[in-house]
Every structure is written in C-alpha cells, then in structure tokens.
Amino acid sequence: MSQSEFLFTSESVSEGHPDKVSDRISDEIVDAFLAADPLSRVAVETLTTTNKIVLAGEVRGPASITKEVMEDLARKAVKDIGYEQEGFHWEKASVDVYVHSQSSDIAQGVDSGDNKDEGAGDQGIMFGYACRETEELMPAPIAFSHGILKEMADARHSGAAKGLEPDSKSQVTLQYVDGKPVKATSVVVSTQHAEELSQDEIRELVRPYVEKVLPEGWMCSEDEFYVNPTGRFVIGGPDGDAGLTGRKIIVDTYGGAAPHGGGAFSGKDPTKVDRSAAYASRYLAKNVVASGAADRCTIQLAYAIGVSKPLSVYVDTYGTGQVDEDKLAKVLQDLMDLSPRGIREHLGLSRAIYARTAAYGHFGRTPEADGGFSWERTDLADAIKKAC
C-alpha cells in the first residue's frame, strides 16, 4: 500500500479494566485533595489484584484527607464501576494505604518564591495532536474504540444490557484512502460477561453498540467482526489480571496515531507537567486545527524540573499548514503562558475534575460547565486565525 492508502488500528479499554480501575482510584484521590485545597500536591499510584487494593505515593495537602478517607474513596470508585464479584468486591476487598508526605527536595524545585515562578514538577516531553478525522478533531480509530465501550458501559449501568460485566476491550481497524478513513476492516470486542451467556449471545448483545458508533456503511464484514474470540470471558477485572495506574497511556491519548512523551496522567496534580502540559499541547493543537491553520497538527513541549518556562515548543503540521510552523510556534506562545502556573490558570486545572478522565480517553471529550475537559475548548481558534 502507498502512504495514502493503509490500515490503522487503535484499541480502548473500559472503566472496569484492571489498569483503569487503578487510574480511577488514583484520580479520586487527586480530586479529594484538590477539592479540599486547590494547591495540594498529589502523586498517588494504585495496584489492584484479587480482592486487594494498594495505594502508594506522595502528597502535600490538608490533613483531613486521611488514610481512612482514601480507603473509602477507593471502595466507592470500585462500587461505582460495578464490581461486586467474588474475586473483586468493593466492600470485601482489603485496602492498604502507603501514602506519605512529598519530598522536600521536589517541593523546593516546584514551589514559587520571591525570585522564581512555580517550576515544573518533573522533566519531560509532552505531545498534543489534532486532526480532522472526527468532529472532536481526534483520530477516528481511537475515537470509535472509546465510543463502543462507552456505549456498552452506559447500557450496563442503565440495565439495558443484561449480562455485561465491567471489564472490556475494543479494537478498531480502519482503511484509509488518500489519507482519510473510509471504513472499518475489522472490529474486536472482548467483554466480561455473565456465566450463562454463550459466545453467540454476547456477539449479538455487543453488535448494536458497534453499529451505533461506526458511521453508516462502515461496519466490517461478518468474518472480521470478532467478539470474545477466546470464547469465554467470565473471570475479569483485577481478579483476572493485576492493574496499575498509568499503564494505558496510548489508550489515554491518541491510540498510537501521534507521538507520546511517555508520562502517565492519572494520580497526578496539575503541577506535574506530565499531565498539565499534555493537556495544554492538545489544547493548542486542537485550536490550530479548529482555526483552519492546518488539517493536522502535533505540538511538543519540553520541561526541566524546577524550571518554569518550556525548554522548547515544536509544531508539525505535516504539510497541511497554511502558516509557517516557526511563526505558528511563536503565535501560540504569545497567546498562552506555557509555564506550569500559566497552564494551570488558563485551563482552570486546580479543581476536582480528574476522576472523570480515567476511562474512555482524556481527549476528544466535551468541555463541561464546571471546567472538566477545559483543554477541549476551541476558544483560541479565532485569535490564532487573526494572528496568522
């Protein structure tokens, strides 16, 4: 195949996947601290396995968020996801909390002072991406993979889909012609299910959610529609496989369609540029595409721990740009302060908005009235158009 004609695949995992259970618990802890004190510092990891939840990490914030509070938050998250199974139960699982105060060495580098602005919470590189493949300006394979699992989860929670259990995965392969997606060539869905359901019953239970998400006429052929290809998926979630915070970073971002800096998001407060600068780079890339300055855009930001300004701002429009990329990089830095403080204030990140990001992607979501998914706004598009 030529570069203009190819197949591309992305996967998603549901809120009940072991790693996503861990992400959700970690982000519930972040939200609790930020709700009590917007200047809290949080870096909390979660391990989940058979009837066991372990929290570990570093925090600096109000003493009201005790170990008992963290345990309660973990149980409520697991209950909300829907786990009341013998091997993983929100009430019966044991919860161990090993969370301690943040290192003073890290705090010294991050905190603002008389002669310095707030520094980055770590070194690293972050990428943002946007394209015209969907209304949300996201790559289509990951958008459809998320959409299928979200539809299934909503049906499970409402009771409309009897027999579906929390753990599931999806994978969508699309054919691209002239660089644009035109149809699905294969779809894979594996979902945990009630023991009494057969593979054929699960296949027909899942089918309408796939057909609802894919554009009309895009459904793959029947022999390329794989549902529970192993034949049985009764034991799932943390009982079937251990989960860890931050292991699904490609699922969280662009499904492999764009570069990734390597840092995870969940469990981190917004002084950690792994999270906040990834949101900022998506915000800028999306606004570039929304402005008409390009059809595709990748933005890279780089930071050093304790240093407020980004070390570099890189823009790539893949030959689709209407504006010189160096000029575009300068315009974006004029329009948004890309220091950790500037990002946090511009996007309103110091609030309890993170538990909702833990499943179905951090990007391509709808901005919410309370500031959730603020990085999905396109309020800079007109300014970019005018400046360019």
Side-chain angles (χ1 to χ4, degrees):
M1 291 185 182
S2 68
Q3 281 296 101
S4 64
E5 185 173 341
F6 56 89
L7 303 180
F8 193 84
T9 305
S10 293
E11 72 156 349
S12 179
V13 298
S14 73
E15 66 199 77
H17 184 281
D19 295 330
K20 285 288 142 200
V21 175
S22 297
D23 284 345
R24 169 70 179 275
I25 293 170
S26 291
D27 275 337
E28 291 286 0
I29 305 301
V30 173
D31 280 356
F33 272 97
L34 292 178
D37 179 359
L39 299 181
S40 294
R41 301 285 166 75
V42 187
V44 171
E45 316 293 337
T46 304
L47 162 71
T48 54
T49 186
T50 302
N51 270 333
K52 187 78 170 179
I53 300 168
V54 181
L55 305 180
E58 306 80 44
V59 297
R60 190 179 73 187
S64 59
I65 311 300
T66 62
K67 291 184 177 182
E68 291 73 22
V69 169
M70 288 186 249
E71 176 181 342
D72 187 53
L73 288 168
R75 294 189 187 282
K76 286 179 178 177
V78 172
K79 182 179 183 181
D80 185 63
I81 291 168
Y83 276 114
E84 294 187 344
Q85 300 170 4
E86 183 178 351
F88 195 68
H89 194 292
W90 67 271
E91 191 173 29
K92 298 176 183 177
S94 66
V95 181
D96 296 333
V97 181
Y98 303 101
V99 176
H100 57 82
S101 297
Q102 184 190 57
S103 162
S104 59
D105 291 347
I106 294 176
Q108 175 179 277
V110 176
D111 289 345
S112 58
D114 293 338
N115 297 310
K116 69 181 285 287
D117 194 5
E118 176 184 297
D122 201 352
Q123 70 176 51
I125 57 174
M126 299 82 207
F127 288 94
Y129 180 74
C131 63
R132 294 196 181 280
E133 292 179 16
T134 65
E135 290 184 4
E136 302 82 9
L137 305 184
M138 284 287 287
I142 188 66
F144 297 154
S145 296
H146 286 323
I148 290 166
L149 296 187
K150 185 63 167 64
E151 289 290 337
M152 290 170 55
D154 289 346
R156 176 175 61 84
H157 283 295
S158 71
K162 302 292 185 182
L164 292 182
E165 299 292 347
D167 192 0
S168 58
K169 302 177 77 171
S170 63
Q171 184 171 285
V172 175
T173 300
L174 297 184
Q175 180 181 358
Y176 284 71
V177 176
D178 294 329
K180 298 180 180 180
V182 295
K183 67 175 182 179
T185 60
S186 67
V187 175
V188 183
V189 179
S190 296
T191 181
Q192 187 184 15
H193 59 87
E195 189 166 9
E196 64 271 15
L197 293 179
S198 69
Q199 186 177 21
D200 287 342
E201 289 172 321
I202 292 294
R203 182 185 183 89
E204 295 313 308
L205 189 58
V206 166
R207 184 189 300 275
Y209 305 111
V210 177
E211 293 176 340
K212 179 179 179 179
V213 169
L214 293 177
E216 187 174 355
W218 280 41
M219 184 64 177
C220 63
S221 62
E222 196 64 19
D223 62 346
E224 292 292 334
F225 179 41
Y226 304 96
V227 177
N228 284 12
T230 64
R232 177 181 169 86
F233 187 4
V234 173
I235 298 173
D239 186 31
D241 191 10
L244 290 170
T245 300
R247 271 206 305 205
K248 288 293 179 284
I249 58 177
I250 300 301
V251 170
D252 285 343
T253 54
Y254 308 102
H260 195 293
F265 302 157
S266 290
K268 298 175 181 177
D269 73 79
T271 68
K272 278 72 171 176
V273 285
D274 278 345
R275 180 168 222 160
S276 57
Y279 292 166
S281 55
R282 160 63 178 174
Y283 173 68
L284 293 177
K286 185 175 184 180
N287 276 272
V288 166
V289 174
S291 75
D295 292 333
R296 292 174 64 200
C297 182
T298 288
I299 291 177
Q300 184 205 61
L301 303 177
Y303 292 86
I305 187 167
V307 178
S308 62
K309 66 181 180 67
L311 306 184
S312 65
V313 178
Y314 167 80
V315 178
D316 185 358
T317 56
Y318 304 91
T320 70
Q322 305 299 311
V323 181
D324 177 78
E325 289 161 340
D326 288 339
K327 179 180 179 180
L328 194 52
K330 291 183 176 67
V331 166
L332 296 178
Q333 291 176 81
D334 288 340
L335 293 176
M336 184 178 182
D337 177 358
L338 292 174
S339 69
R341 182 197 298 277
I343 291 171
R344 192 181 72 242
E345 292 178 352
H346 189 107
L347 297 177
L349 298 181
S350 296
R351 47 181 123 183
I353 55 174
Y354 296 108
R356 69 194 77 172
T357 70
Y360 314 115
H362 291 245
F363 307 129
R365 309 286 288 272
T366 301
E368 298 177 348
D370 67 349
F373 303 104
S374 59
W375 49 92
E376 291 298 310
R377 301 188 315 241
T378 54
D379 53 336
L380 278 188
D382 288 343
I384 292 172
K385 186 184 300 183
K386 183 177 179 181
C388 294

